[in-house]
Amino acid sequence: MMPSANPRKKAIFVINSLAGGGAERIMTTLLRGSAPWRDRFDISLILLDREPEAYSVPDWVDIVQLDSRGGLLSGVLSLRRVLVQAHPDVTLSFLTRANICNIVATWGLRARCIISERVNSSAHFSGRLGGMISKWLVRVSYPRADHVIAVSSGVAHDLARNFAVQRRKISVIANPVDHQLIKRLSAEAPEVPVEGEFIVASGRLVPNKNFPMLIEAFAGSGLPGSLVILGEGPERPRLEEQIARLGLGERVLLPGFVQNPFAVIKRATLFALPSNAEGFPNGLVEAMACGLPVVATNCASGPSEIMLNTAREAVRGLVPCEVGAIVPTNETSAFTAALRLVHDPDTRALKGAAAAASASKFNIGQTTKLYWDIIDRMSARNNNRAVLAHGHESAMSR
C-alpha cells in the first residue's frame, strides 16, 4: 500500500528551556506565528532543562519537559528517547547545546534535522578551554545537520568559513518581531518607574554584552537623565562596583530581568547596544519597533545589516545613519560621541520614526513563513524517501 498523498506530519521544536533570554522569546514568537500550519502539522516543543519559564507558548503546542540539567550527554540521551517514540518528520532547534543534541539524537532516524544558529560562533566563544571545546563541537556536528538557519548573513558566513557548513545548506532568516504584541505591551505601565529622561539597554549581564563600556561612555557623555540596563547575569557585581566607583549610583539602574521590557523601552530617549558579539540583536530591532533611535557597535553579527543594510566589513569608524549611529566595537570615546549625536532633541524624533519604519520589515508573518517553507521542504524529502523505499521493497518482492 502506497503512503497517503498528504499525511499529517509532525514537527518538533527543541530548545534548552524557556528561561529569560532573546532566543527563548523568539522561539515562543515563532510558535505563536505557526498557527496557520496546524492543519498539516502536529507541533510539539521539547525543553531539555527544567527551569522556570519566563515566556508562554500557545496552548495548542504540546510541551515535553525533560531534565538534562544543562548536560550535553544527558540531553542527547533523553532527547533521543523521546524522538524514537515520537517519529517526527522534522526537528528544529535553537541554541548551540540544543542544536548539538538535535543533530546527535536524530542520527539514523527518519527525521530531518534543522538547526538555527543564533550567535556568531567565532566571536561568541572565548579562547579559553571551554570556548575551544564548544567551537570543536560545533565544527564536528553542525555540518551533519540537514539544514542550518542563520539569523544574519554574518552568522552564515562564519559557519561556512570557519565551521565547514556547506553554503548550500544554509538559509538566512532574521528573527521575527511581533509588532502587535510590542505595541500592546509598550502601552502598559512600566515595572521600572524612571523619572525624567533615560537611555535604555537590555541583555544578559555577561562579558560579550560589554555593559562596562556603555557605563563608561554614559559617564563621559555629560548627557542628562539616567541609564537603565535591563537584564540579569553573572556580571552584576562587577557592574555594581563600576557604578559605585564612578559615582553613578543614582543614575545607572540595574533592575534585573523585567517581564515586560517594552513598557520601559518605549519611554526611553534612545536604545544602546554596546556588544562585542551578537548573532541577531533582538533587542535592537524591538527597540526600533518601539520608535527609538539606536546607537550600536559594529559587532559580529547583525547591527550593520539591520541599521545600514551593509556588511560589517564595509563599515569604518563612527557612521551616523537614518536610525541612529553605529560605532566600532569597544571604543568608548566613539560610543560617547554617538550617544551625544543621537540624543540631540532636534534629530532623535526623526531617527526614531525612521527606526520604527525600518523595523517593520522584520514582521512575524513573513519570517514565520520562511521558517515553515524550509520545514515543508525538508518534510517533503522524507515523503520522497518513503515512496522510493516502498518502490524498492515492491520491486524486491516481485
Coordinates of all heavy atoms in Angstrom, one line a residue, residues 8 48 76 95 120 125 165 204 263 292-293 307 337 346 348 361 368 371 389:
R8 N -0.8 13.7 7.7 CA -0.5 14.7 8.7 C 0.9 14.5 9.2 O 1.3 13.4 9.6 CB -1.5 14.6 9.8 CG -1.4 15.8 10.8 CD -2.6 15.7 11.8 NE -2.5 16.8 12.7 CZ -3.0 18.0 12.5 NH1 -3.5 18.3 11.3 NH2 -2.9 19.0 13.4
L48 N 14.8 20.9 27.1 CA 15.8 20.0 27.6 C 16.0 20.1 29.1 O 16.3 19.1 29.8 CB 17.2 20.3 26.9 CG 17.2 20.0 25.4 CD1 18.6 20.4 24.9 CD2 16.9 18.6 25.0
V76 N 21.3 14.6 25.0 CA 21.3 13.8 23.8 C 20.5 12.5 24.1 O 19.6 12.1 23.4 CB 22.7 13.4 23.4 CG1 22.6 12.3 22.3 CG2 23.4 14.6 22.8
L95 N 19.7 27.4 19.8 CA 20.8 27.5 20.7 C 21.8 26.3 20.6 O 21.4 25.2 20.2 CB 20.3 27.5 22.2 CG 19.5 28.8 22.5 CD1 18.9 28.7 23.9 CD2 20.3 30.0 22.4
N120 N 27.2 34.4 16.4 CA 28.4 34.3 15.6 C 29.4 33.5 16.4 O 30.0 34.0 17.4 CB 28.9 35.7 15.3 CG 30.1 35.7 14.4 OD1 31.2 35.1 14.7 ND2 29.9 36.2 13.2
F125 N 32.3 32.4 21.4 CA 33.0 31.6 22.3 C 34.4 32.1 22.6 O 35.1 32.5 21.7 CB 33.1 30.1 21.8 CG 31.8 29.5 21.6 CD1 31.2 29.1 20.4 CD2 31.0 29.2 22.8 CE1 30.0 28.5 20.3 CE2 29.8 28.6 22.7 CZ 29.3 28.2 21.4
V165 N 30.4 24.2 7.3 CA 29.0 24.0 6.9 C 28.8 24.4 5.5 O 29.2 25.5 5.1 CB 28.0 24.8 7.8 CG1 26.6 24.6 7.3 CG2 28.1 24.5 9.3
R204 N 21.6 40.0 28.7 CA 22.2 39.3 29.8 C 23.4 40.0 30.3 O 24.2 40.5 29.5 CB 22.5 37.8 29.5 CG 21.3 37.0 29.3 CD 21.7 35.5 29.4 NE 22.0 35.2 30.8 CZ 23.1 34.5 31.2 NH1 23.9 34.0 30.3 NH2 23.4 34.2 32.4
A263 N 7.5 48.2 27.9 CA 6.9 49.4 28.6 C 8.0 50.3 29.1 O 7.8 51.5 29.1 CB 6.0 48.9 29.8
L292 N 12.4 54.0 18.9 CA 13.6 54.6 19.5 C 14.7 54.6 18.4 O 15.0 53.7 17.7 CB 14.1 53.7 20.7 CG 13.6 54.2 22.1 CD1 12.1 54.1 22.2 CD2 14.3 53.4 23.1
P293 N 15.5 55.8 18.4 CA 16.7 55.8 17.7 C 17.7 54.9 18.4 O 17.6 54.7 19.6 CB 17.1 57.2 17.7 CG 16.5 57.8 18.9 CD 15.2 57.0 19.1
M307 N 20.9 48.2 10.5 CA 20.9 49.6 10.5 C 21.3 50.2 9.2 O 20.8 51.3 8.8 CB 21.8 50.1 11.6 CG 21.3 49.7 13.0 SD 22.6 50.1 14.3 CE 22.6 51.9 14.2
A337 N 30.6 59.8 21.8 CA 30.2 60.8 20.7 C 28.9 60.4 20.1 O 28.1 61.3 19.8 CB 31.3 60.9 19.7
D346 N 16.7 67.6 18.5 CA 16.3 68.1 17.1 C 16.3 66.9 16.1 O 15.6 67.0 15.1 CB 17.1 69.2 16.6 CG 17.0 70.5 17.4 OD1 15.9 70.7 18.0 OD2 18.0 71.2 17.5
R348 N 16.5 63.2 17.2 CA 16.2 61.9 17.7 C 14.8 61.5 17.3 O 14.5 60.3 17.1 CB 16.5 61.7 19.1 CG 15.6 62.5 20.1 CD 16.0 62.3 21.5 NE 15.1 62.9 22.5 CZ 15.5 63.6 23.6 NH1 16.8 63.7 23.8 NH2 14.6 64.1 24.4
K361 N 10.0 45.7 8.5 CA 10.3 44.6 7.6 C 10.6 43.3 8.3 O 10.5 42.2 7.7 CB 11.5 44.9 6.7 CG 12.8 45.1 7.5 CD 13.9 45.7 6.6 CE 15.2 46.0 7.4 NZ 16.2 46.6 6.5
T368 N 7.9 33.9 9.9 CA 7.4 32.6 10.2 C 7.2 31.7 9.0 O 7.5 30.5 8.9 CB 6.1 32.7 11.0 OG1 6.4 33.4 12.2 CG2 5.6 31.3 11.4
Y371 N 10.5 30.2 7.8 CA 10.8 29.0 8.6 C 10.0 27.8 8.1 O 10.6 26.7 7.9 CB 10.5 29.3 10.1 CG 11.7 29.8 10.9 CD1 11.9 31.2 11.0 CD2 12.6 29.0 11.5 CE1 12.9 31.7 11.7 CE2 13.6 29.5 12.2 CZ 13.8 30.9 12.3 OH 14.9 31.4 13.1
A389 N 11.6 4.1 -0.9 CA 11.8 2.9 -0.2 C 10.7 1.9 -0.4 O 11.0 0.7 -0.6 CB 11.9 3.2 1.3

